Amino acid sequence: MSRAITIVFVMICAGCLDPYYPPASTQRLNALVVDGYVDINGNASVKLSRSIPLDEFGTFPPESNAIVTIETSEGDKMPLLEEKDATYTASGISVSYNSTYKLNIVTSGGQEYESDPTQIYPTPKIDSIYFTIAGSGAAIEVRIDANNTNPNSTRYYAVDGDETYEYHASAISLYKLVNNVAVYRSDEEQVYYCWRDLQASPAVISTNRLSANVVKGGVIAIIGRDDNRLHVRYSDLVKLRSIGEDEYNYLNQVIKTSEQQGSLWSVIPSRFVGNVHNIADRDEYVLGFFSGREITQRRFFVDRFDLPSGFGGPQPEGCQAESTCALVEGIVSPPNCINVEDIGRSVIVAITADAAGTPLYYKYVQAQCGDCTSLGGYTKRPAFW
């Protein structure tokens, strides 16, 4: 699991909630963070880093120059080579459903770690993905169906995915400024249609209490009616994998704590117990998990016109067009105007011209209203769209 977990505490006072910001740490936990897997295709990847205190922000420091190997239940050992950012990889590994795999790590400081044995479970194909409207009408619930007929598989599943959604700027900008002069944008320079990629939040599903190992209507995502992802079109490349009970419990604990943090009913977060340990000191806190993986995937789309009225969320506020001051001498400037050279990253949406076509003023909006890339997206349509 690569997503960092931020823990927030709350205090209850006079019937209201105030966020508690932890004081600066006096000690660095400096725990080893492990995010690794071996998959059914014979590929392995292990990213090593170190934790940082709650009061600090930024990326986790990489744990470089480690010796990383994977050992099979048959006694074979396979080295992983370090790439950038302390990610250790290997390919062409001989794997099977009948073997187990153990991760071994020796850090540059000489500390030795190993994981519990893990295995690769057969994963069923995804039969269908669809959405329903939540009972309150405030969200859609994305659901999945899958039928696991393999008697040697597990009854626990993890789901994540790669999300992409299309959104539009509030205003169309047909012009760009070149030396403070508005000129037409080419098709490649349009900033009205955008797409954005996100990592889907993980979900876990268990069929352990069912008579058949069938996932029917398992909820893998809940998207609120005001969510920007529903403005135009939303897609998720859903990835399903069978997991063991230990990984299910680990992921379930991480997900629940992440969802509940800061709420009135949140539990006090405990340490997430993974499956990697210091050989010499089993009490040392190590973050993360090493897993075996077989992934099946399927792409899912939701179009805005498939949803009830009111879904998609409001457009940004304050997007009314404003005017530059006069561009030529002898013309009275509009009230509250601004010189064209001072509009910064704002974008031109219209030109007011005289009968001869000479521009007199430009109409502009703020970048977040007229340039969709300012909200983190890109303008090249994805190939699968």
Side-chain angles (χ1 to χ4, degrees):
M1 180 111 185
S2 61
R3 183 166 297 189
I5 305 299
T6 303
I7 299 175
V8 178
F9 298 92
V10 296
M11 297 188 297
I12 304 175
C13 177
C16 61
L17 294 177
D18 294 321
Y20 170 71
Y21 299 97
S25 299
T26 57
Q27 295 180 335
R28 294 185 64 91
L29 178 59
N30 199 36
L32 182 66
V33 182
V34 181
D35 177 14
Y37 66 86
V38 57
D39 68 26
I40 195 62
N41 298 314
N43 302 310
S45 177
V46 177
K47 184 174 178 61
L48 301 180
S49 56
R50 290 285 174 175
S51 64
I52 58 177
L54 283 173
D55 57 289
E56 291 188 12
F57 300 92
T59 57
F60 288 11
E63 181 69 20
S64 298
N65 302 316
I67 300 173
V68 181
T69 58
I70 293 176
E71 182 178 356
T72 72
S73 50
E74 291 75 28
D76 297 325
K77 291 187 177 181
M78 296 151 287
L80 278 66
L81 299 180
E82 183 175 1
E83 298 182 350
K84 63 178 182 179
D85 300 326
T87 298
Y88 302 78
T89 64
S91 60
I93 299 173
S94 178
V95 297
S96 76
Y97 297 120
N98 299 320
S99 298
T100 61
Y101 305 89
K102 184 169 63 175
L103 177 66
N104 296 287
I105 302 167
V106 181
T107 68
S108 59
Q111 294 293 309
E112 298 185 40
Y113 300 83
E114 68 176 14
S115 73
D116 299 329
T118 190
Q119 69 183 94
I120 302 172
Y121 295 98
T123 299
K125 70 180 182 68
I126 300 171
D127 293 327
S128 61
I129 310 171
Y130 51 96
F131 72 89
T132 59
I133 304 299
S136 63
I140 67 169
E141 296 175 337
V142 181
R143 298 176 178 269
I144 187 174
D145 291 349
N147 183 13
N148 196 342
T149 60
N150 192 311
N152 298 318
S153 191
T154 176
R155 285 177 170 263
Y156 302 96
Y157 305 92
V159 186
D160 56 21
D162 300 323
E163 295 180 321
T164 301
Y165 67 94
E166 179 182 349
Y167 66 97
H168 300 164
S170 299
I172 299 177
S173 172
L174 299 178
Y175 311 92
K176 63 178 181 178
L177 283 178
V178 178
N179 296 324
N180 295 326
V181 176
V183 297
Y184 275 105
R185 296 180 184 272
S186 67
D187 291 342
E188 293 74 21
E189 295 171 323
Q190 72 83 21
V191 288
Y192 178 70
Y193 301 96
C194 268
W195 290 263
R196 190 176 183 186
D197 299 328
L198 298 173
Q199 173 119 28
S201 297
V204 290
I205 300 171
S206 172
T207 62
N208 198 39
R209 297 184 180 182
L210 303 178
S211 58
N213 195 0
V214 176
V215 176
K216 185 67 175 177
V219 177
I220 62 173
I222 299 175
I223 306 177
R225 64 186 296 135
D226 292 336
D227 197 297
N228 287 337
R229 289 174 289 178
L230 302 180
H231 268 163
V232 181
R233 197 182 197 205
Y234 165 82
S235 178
D236 187 3
L237 182 60
V238 177
K239 301 176 182 180
L240 173 71
R241 61 186 177 93
S242 299
I243 59 176
E245 184 177 7
D246 55 346
E247 187 173 5
Y248 172 85
N249 292 332
Y250 170 79
L251 292 175
N252 198 36
Q253 182 185 24
V254 171
I255 292 168
K256 285 184 176 180
T257 303
S258 300
E259 291 174 346
Q260 295 175 359
Q261 64 181 12
S263 77
L264 179 61
W265 309 113
S266 62
V267 296
I268 296 177
S270 59
R271 290 186 170 186
F272 304 121
V273 180
N275 68 344
V276 182
H277 317 280
N278 186 317
I279 295 177
D281 181 8
R282 297 279 296 190
D283 292 330
E284 180 183 329
Y285 184 33
V286 182
L287 284 161
F289 210 94
F290 176 69
S291 62
R293 300 182 180 182
E294 180 181 49
I295 295 175
T296 61
Q297 60 187 34
R298 183 167 179 166
R299 184 167 290 283
F300 165 71
F301 287 94
V302 177
D303 288 293
R304 172 64 188 83
F305 56 76
D306 294 331
L307 299 171
S309 176
F311 276 76
Q315 290 287 353
E317 296 181 355
C319 288
Q320 295 80 11
E322 302 179 71
S323 180
T324 66
C325 297
L327 302 173
V328 294
E329 294 183 3
I331 301 297
V332 178
S333 294
N336 302 317
C337 67
I338 188 171
N339 291 327
V340 65
E341 59 267 23
D342 296 327
I343 66 173
R345 295 188 64 246
S346 299
V347 292
I348 305 301
V349 295
I351 297 175
T352 300
D354 61 18
T358 302
L360 303 178
Y361 321 100
Y362 294 150
K363 293 289 186 179
Y364 69 94
V365 295
Q366 300 300 313
Q368 65 267 25
C369 301
D371 181 355
C372 59
T373 64
S374 67
L375 301 177
Y378 54 89
T379 58
K380 184 177 180 180
R381 181 187 297 269
F384 58 84
W385 213 257

